[in-house]
């Protein structure tokens, strides 16, 4: 069944009108006709089943036939703060795969050793939207605009906070530390890693040093590894 992302849909309304872009895709590309069934997701946990009442290429009318709330809601909250990679394709790859696996919030942090100082979130959000449609996720992860490391570290977070880095020293692993069903924030640094000053500041602000294994991982790989571990340990 074909799936559409409809963030403005309201559960109490029996009908929904696809915008022109989605209507054109439904009628001209997918060639859906009167009576065809489709699914809709609102990004807030709602999964809708609907039937086409008017297959118009500019304003297709849908009749809502079923609504499931909190569809696929997970028992935990995962926030990953990641330094944008020099090659933006690698960040896009992470966002796509992390969305498919399961993630709630992503923050882009600009660090002392960051080679990329900005990343346009409009395109990155489209990557996320495509991934939730592909993997049938009813929740759309939040993508925050880029922010400096110092400003981000000063923000409060109600849950466990970790910083993964490559500097020597005592580090914890998620298998032993992660609280099942809780909120978790993991920070992943740029290609050159966090600076010692940044690591020290994070520890002073309640973060715990984290290991993701013996291998030296790329930024996007480390972030995805953390995403996988948190989801796996919360099963």
């Amino acid at each position: 069944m074909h799936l559409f992302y409809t963030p403005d849909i309201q559960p109490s309304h029996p009908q929904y009108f696809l915008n022109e872009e989605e209507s054109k895709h439904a009628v001209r590309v997918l060639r859906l006709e009167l009576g065809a069934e489709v699914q809709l997701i609102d990004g807030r946990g709602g999964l809708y089943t609907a039937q086409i009442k008017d297959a118009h290429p500019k304003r297709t009318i849908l009749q809502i036939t079923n609504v499931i709330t909190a569809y696929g809601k997970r028992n935990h909250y995962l926030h990953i703060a990641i330094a944008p990679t020099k090659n933006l394709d690698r960040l896009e790859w992470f966002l796509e795969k992390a969305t498919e696996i399961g993630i709630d919030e992503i923050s882009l942090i600009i660090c002392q050793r960051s080679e990329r100082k900005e990343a346009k979130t409009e395109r990155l959000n489209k990557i996320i939207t495509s991934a939730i449609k592909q993997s049938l996720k009813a929740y759309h992860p939040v993508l925050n605009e880029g922010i400096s490391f110092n400003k981000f570290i000063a923000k409060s977070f109600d849950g466990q906070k970790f910083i993964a880095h490559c500097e020597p020293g005592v580090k914890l692993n998620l298998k032993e530390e992660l609280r099942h069903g809780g909120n978790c924030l993991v920070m992943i640094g740029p290609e050159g890693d966090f600076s010692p000053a940044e690591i020290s500041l994070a520890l002073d602000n309640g973060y715990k040093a984290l290991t993701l294994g013996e291998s030296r991982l790329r930024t996007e790989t480390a972030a995805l590894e953390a995403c996988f571990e948190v989801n796996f340990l919360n099963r």
Side-chain angles (χ1 to χ4, degrees), residues 113-147:
R113 296 173 177 171
S114 291
E115 294 188 66
R116 176 178 287 277
K117 300 298 183 182
E118 61 179 5
K120 295 182 179 180
T121 56
E122 182 178 357
R123 172 174 169 76
L124 298 179
N125 263 312
K126 289 181 179 179
I127 300 292
I128 294 173
T129 299
S130 178
I132 67 169
K133 292 168 68 176
Q134 189 279 327
S135 56
L136 191 54
K137 293 283 195 302
Y139 290 91
H140 195 294
V142 175
L143 177 64
N144 298 315
E145 297 284 345
I147 186 175

CSV table of all heavy atoms in Angstrom, one decimal, residues 113-147:
chain,number,residue,atom,x,y,z
A,113,ARG,N,37.3,21.2,16.2
A,113,ARG,CA,37.9,20.5,15.1
A,113,ARG,C,37.0,20.2,13.9
A,113,ARG,O,37.4,19.5,13.0
A,113,ARG,CB,38.6,19.2,15.6
A,113,ARG,CG,39.7,19.5,16.6
A,113,ARG,CD,40.2,18.2,17.2
A,113,ARG,NE,41.3,18.4,18.2
A,113,ARG,CZ,41.8,17.4,18.9
A,113,ARG,NH1,41.3,16.2,18.9
A,113,ARG,NH2,42.8,17.7,19.8
A,114,SER,N,35.8,20.8,14.0
A,114,SER,CA,34.9,20.6,12.8
A,114,SER,C,35.4,21.2,11.6
A,114,SER,O,35.8,22.4,11.5
A,114,SER,CB,33.5,21.2,13.2
A,114,SER,OG,32.9,20.5,14.2
A,115,GLU,N,35.4,20.4,10.5
A,115,GLU,CA,35.8,20.9,9.2
A,115,GLU,C,34.6,21.5,8.5
A,115,GLU,O,34.8,22.4,7.6
A,115,GLU,CB,36.4,19.8,8.3
A,115,GLU,CG,37.7,19.3,8.9
A,115,GLU,CD,38.4,18.3,7.9
A,115,GLU,OE1,38.8,18.8,6.8
A,115,GLU,OE2,38.5,17.1,8.3
A,116,ARG,N,33.4,21.1,8.8
A,116,ARG,CA,32.2,21.7,8.3
A,116,ARG,C,31.5,22.5,9.4
A,116,ARG,O,31.2,21.9,10.4
A,116,ARG,CB,31.2,20.6,7.7
A,116,ARG,CG,29.9,21.1,7.2
A,116,ARG,CD,29.0,20.0,6.7
A,116,ARG,NE,29.5,19.6,5.4
A,116,ARG,CZ,29.3,20.2,4.2
A,116,ARG,NH1,28.5,21.3,4.2
A,116,ARG,NH2,29.8,19.7,3.1
A,117,LYS,N,31.3,23.7,9.1
A,117,LYS,CA,30.7,24.6,10.1
A,117,LYS,C,29.2,24.8,10.0
A,117,LYS,O,28.6,25.4,10.9
A,117,LYS,CB,31.4,26.0,10.0
A,117,LYS,CG,32.9,25.9,10.2
A,117,LYS,CD,33.3,25.4,11.6
A,117,LYS,CE,34.8,25.5,11.8
A,117,LYS,NZ,35.2,24.9,13.1
A,118,GLU,N,28.6,24.3,8.9
A,118,GLU,CA,27.1,24.4,8.8
A,118,GLU,C,26.6,23.3,7.9
A,118,GLU,O,27.4,22.6,7.2
A,118,GLU,CB,26.8,25.7,8.2
A,118,GLU,CG,27.3,26.0,6.8
A,118,GLU,CD,26.9,27.3,6.2
A,118,GLU,OE1,26.3,28.1,6.9
A,118,GLU,OE2,27.2,27.5,5.0
A,119,ALA,N,25.3,23.0,8.0
A,119,ALA,CA,24.6,22.0,7.2
A,119,ALA,C,23.2,22.5,7.1
A,119,ALA,O,22.5,22.8,8.1
A,119,ALA,CB,24.7,20.7,7.8
A,120,LYS,N,22.7,22.6,5.8
A,120,LYS,CA,21.3,23.0,5.6
A,120,LYS,C,20.3,21.9,6.0
A,120,LYS,O,20.4,20.8,5.4
A,120,LYS,CB,21.2,23.4,4.2
A,120,LYS,CG,22.0,24.7,3.8
A,120,LYS,CD,21.8,25.1,2.3
A,120,LYS,CE,22.6,26.3,2.0
A,120,LYS,NZ,22.4,26.8,0.6
A,121,THR,N,19.5,22.2,6.9
A,121,THR,CA,18.6,21.2,7.5
A,121,THR,C,17.4,20.9,6.5
A,121,THR,O,16.8,19.9,6.7
A,121,THR,CB,18.1,21.6,8.9
A,121,THR,OG1,17.4,22.9,8.7
A,121,THR,CG2,19.2,21.7,9.9
A,122,GLU,N,17.1,21.8,5.6
A,122,GLU,CA,16.0,21.5,4.7
A,122,GLU,C,16.1,20.2,3.9
A,122,GLU,O,15.3,19.4,3.9
A,122,GLU,CB,15.8,22.7,3.7
A,122,GLU,CG,14.5,22.5,2.8
A,122,GLU,CD,14.3,23.7,1.9
A,122,GLU,OE1,15.1,24.7,2.0
A,122,GLU,OE2,13.4,23.6,1.1
A,123,ARG,N,17.3,20.1,3.3
A,123,ARG,CA,17.6,18.9,2.6
A,123,ARG,C,17.7,17.7,3.5
A,123,ARG,O,17.2,16.6,3.2
A,123,ARG,CB,18.9,19.0,1.7
A,123,ARG,CG,19.3,17.7,1.1
A,123,ARG,CD,20.5,17.8,0.2
A,123,ARG,NE,21.0,16.5,-0.2
A,123,ARG,CZ,20.4,15.7,-1.1
A,123,ARG,NH1,19.3,16.0,-1.7
A,123,ARG,NH2,21.0,14.5,-1.4
A,124,LEU,N,18.3,17.9,4.6
A,124,LEU,CA,18.5,16.8,5.6
A,124,LEU,C,17.2,16.3,6.1
A,124,LEU,O,17.0,15.1,6.3
A,124,LEU,CB,19.4,17.2,6.7
A,124,LEU,CG,20.8,17.6,6.4
A,124,LEU,CD1,21.6,18.1,7.6
A,124,LEU,CD2,21.6,16.5,5.7
A,125,ASN,N,16.2,17.2,6.3
A,125,ASN,CA,14.9,16.8,6.7
A,125,ASN,C,14.2,16.0,5.7
A,125,ASN,O,13.4,15.1,6.0
A,125,ASN,CB,14.1,18.0,7.1
A,125,ASN,CG,14.1,18.3,8.6
A,125,ASN,OD1,13.8,17.4,9.4
A,125,ASN,ND2,14.3,19.5,9.0
A,126,LYS,N,14.4,16.3,4.4
A,126,LYS,CA,13.8,15.5,3.3
A,126,LYS,C,14.4,14.1,3.3
A,126,LYS,O,13.7,13.1,3.0
A,126,LYS,CB,14.1,16.2,2.0
A,126,LYS,CG,13.3,17.4,1.8
A,126,LYS,CD,13.6,18.1,0.4
A,126,LYS,CE,12.8,19.3,0.2
A,126,LYS,NZ,13.1,20.0,-1.1
A,127,ILE,N,15.7,13.9,3.7
A,127,ILE,CA,16.2,12.6,3.8
A,127,ILE,C,15.5,11.8,4.9
A,127,ILE,O,15.2,10.6,4.7
A,127,ILE,CB,17.8,12.7,4.1
A,127,ILE,CG1,18.5,13.4,3.0
A,127,ILE,CG2,18.3,11.3,4.4
A,127,ILE,CD1,18.6,12.7,1.7
A,128,ILE,N,15.3,12.5,6.0
A,128,ILE,CA,14.6,11.8,7.2
A,128,ILE,C,13.2,11.4,6.8
A,128,ILE,O,12.7,10.3,7.1
A,128,ILE,CB,14.6,12.8,8.4
A,128,ILE,CG1,16.0,12.9,8.9
A,128,ILE,CG2,13.7,12.2,9.5
A,128,ILE,CD1,16.2,14.0,10.0
A,129,THR,N,12.5,12.4,6.1
A,129,THR,CA,11.1,12.1,5.7
A,129,THR,C,11.0,10.9,4.8
A,129,THR,O,10.2,10.0,4.9
A,129,THR,CB,10.5,13.3,5.0
A,129,THR,OG1,10.5,14.4,5.9
A,129,THR,CG2,9.1,13.1,4.6
A,130,SER,N,11.9,10.8,3.8
A,130,SER,CA,12.0,9.7,2.9
A,130,SER,C,12.2,8.4,3.7
A,130,SER,O,11.6,7.4,3.4
A,130,SER,CB,13.1,9.9,1.9
A,130,SER,OG,13.1,8.8,1.0
A,131,ALA,N,13.1,8.5,4.7
A,131,ALA,CA,13.4,7.3,5.5
A,131,ALA,C,12.2,6.8,6.3
A,131,ALA,O,12.0,5.6,6.5
A,131,ALA,CB,14.6,7.5,6.3
A,132,ILE,N,11.5,7.7,6.9
A,132,ILE,CA,10.3,7.2,7.7
A,132,ILE,C,9.2,6.6,6.8
A,132,ILE,O,8.6,5.7,7.2
A,132,ILE,CB,9.7,8.4,8.6
A,132,ILE,CG1,9.1,9.4,7.7
A,132,ILE,CG2,10.7,8.9,9.5
A,132,ILE,CD1,8.2,10.4,8.6
A,133,LYS,N,9.1,7.1,5.6
A,133,LYS,CA,8.1,6.5,4.7
A,133,LYS,C,8.6,5.1,4.2
A,133,LYS,O,7.8,4.2,4.2
A,133,LYS,CB,8.0,7.4,3.5
A,133,LYS,CG,7.3,8.8,3.8
A,133,LYS,CD,7.3,9.8,2.7
A,133,LYS,CE,6.6,9.3,1.4
A,133,LYS,NZ,6.6,10.4,0.4
A,134,GLN,N,9.9,5.0,4.0
A,134,GLN,CA,10.4,3.7,3.5
A,134,GLN,C,10.3,2.7,4.6
A,134,GLN,O,10.0,1.5,4.3
A,134,GLN,CB,11.9,3.9,3.1
A,134,GLN,CG,12.5,2.7,2.4
A,134,GLN,CD,13.0,1.6,3.4
A,134,GLN,OE1,13.4,1.9,4.5
A,134,GLN,NE2,12.9,0.3,2.9
A,135,SER,N,10.5,3.1,5.9
A,135,SER,CA,10.6,2.1,7.0
A,135,SER,C,9.3,2.1,7.8
A,135,SER,O,9.2,1.4,8.8
A,135,SER,CB,11.7,2.4,7.9
A,135,SER,OG,11.7,3.8,8.4
A,136,LEU,N,8.2,2.8,7.3
A,136,LEU,CA,6.9,2.8,7.9
A,136,LEU,C,7.0,3.2,9.4
A,136,LEU,O,6.6,2.5,10.3
A,136,LEU,CB,6.2,1.5,7.8
A,136,LEU,CG,4.7,1.4,8.2
A,136,LEU,CD1,3.9,2.5,7.4
A,136,LEU,CD2,4.1,0.0,8.0
A,137,LYS,N,7.6,4.4,9.6
A,137,LYS,CA,7.7,5.0,10.9
A,137,LYS,C,6.7,6.1,11.0
A,137,LYS,O,6.6,6.9,10.2
A,137,LYS,CB,9.1,5.6,11.2
A,137,LYS,CG,10.2,4.5,11.2
A,137,LYS,CD,10.2,3.8,12.6
A,137,LYS,CE,11.5,3.1,12.8
A,137,LYS,NZ,11.9,2.1,11.8
A,138,ALA,N,5.9,6.1,12.1
A,138,ALA,CA,4.9,7.1,12.3
A,138,ALA,C,5.4,8.3,13.0
A,138,ALA,O,4.7,9.3,13.1
A,138,ALA,CB,3.7,6.5,13.0
A,139,TYR,N,6.6,8.2,13.6
A,139,TYR,CA,7.2,9.4,14.3
A,139,TYR,C,8.3,9.9,13.4
A,139,TYR,O,9.2,9.2,13.0
A,139,TYR,CB,7.7,8.9,15.6
A,139,TYR,CG,6.7,8.6,16.6
A,139,TYR,CD1,6.2,7.3,16.8
A,139,TYR,CD2,6.1,9.6,17.5
A,139,TYR,CE1,5.2,6.9,17.7
A,139,TYR,CE2,5.1,9.2,18.4
A,139,TYR,CZ,4.7,7.9,18.5
A,139,TYR,OH,3.7,7.6,19.4
A,140,HIS,N,8.3,11.3,13.2
A,140,HIS,CA,9.3,11.9,12.5
A,140,HIS,C,10.4,12.5,13.4
A,140,HIS,O,10.1,13.3,14.3
A,140,HIS,CB,8.7,13.1,11.7
A,140,HIS,CG,9.6,13.6,10.6
A,140,HIS,ND1,10.8,14.3,10.8
A,140,HIS,CD2,9.5,13.6,9.2
A,140,HIS,CE1,11.4,14.6,9.7
A,140,HIS,NE2,10.6,14.2,8.7
A,141,PRO,N,11.6,12.0,13.3
A,141,PRO,CA,12.7,12.5,14.2
A,141,PRO,C,12.8,14.0,14.1
A,141,PRO,O,12.7,14.6,13.0
A,141,PRO,CB,13.9,11.8,13.7
A,141,PRO,CG,13.4,10.5,13.1
A,141,PRO,CD,12.1,10.9,12.5
A,142,VAL,N,13.2,14.7,15.2
A,142,VAL,CA,13.4,16.1,15.2
A,142,VAL,C,14.9,16.4,14.8
A,142,VAL,O,15.8,15.8,15.4
A,142,VAL,CB,13.1,16.7,16.6
A,142,VAL,CG1,13.5,18.2,16.6
A,142,VAL,CG2,11.7,16.5,17.0
A,143,LEU,N,15.1,17.3,13.9
A,143,LEU,CA,16.4,17.6,13.5
A,143,LEU,C,16.6,19.1,13.8
A,143,LEU,O,16.0,20.0,13.3
A,143,LEU,CB,16.6,17.5,12.0
A,143,LEU,CG,18.0,17.9,11.4
A,143,LEU,CD1,19.1,17.1,12.0
A,143,LEU,CD2,18.0,17.8,9.9
A,144,ASN,N,17.6,19.3,14.8
A,144,ASN,CA,17.8,20.7,15.2
A,144,ASN,C,18.9,21.4,14.4
A,144,ASN,O,19.8,20.7,13.9
A,144,ASN,CB,18.3,20.7,16.7
A,144,ASN,CG,17.2,20.1,17.6
A,144,ASN,OD1,16.1,20.4,17.5
A,144,ASN,ND2,17.6,19.2,18.5
A,145,GLU,N,18.8,22.7,14.3
A,145,GLU,CA,19.8,23.5,13.5
A,145,GLU,C,21.1,23.4,14.2
A,145,GLU,O,21.2,23.1,15.4
A,145,GLU,CB,19.3,24.9,13.5
A,145,GLU,CG,18.0,25.2,12.7
A,145,GLU,CD,18.2,25.1,11.2
A,145,GLU,OE1,19.4,25.1,10.7
A,145,GLU,OE2,17.2,25.0,10.5
A,146,GLY,N,22.2,23.7,13.4
A,146,GLY,CA,23.5,23.6,14.0
A,146,GLY,C,23.7,24.6,15.1
A,146,GLY,O,23.2,25.7,15.1
A,147,ILE,N,24.5,24.2,16.1
A,147,ILE,CA,24.8,25.0,17.3
A,147,ILE,C,26.2,24.7,17.8
A,147,ILE,O,26.7,23.6,17.5
A,147,ILE,CB,23.8,24.6,18.4
A,147,ILE,CG1,23.9,25.6,19.6
A,147,ILE,CG2,23.9,23.2,18.8
A,147,ILE,CD1,22.8,25.3,20.7
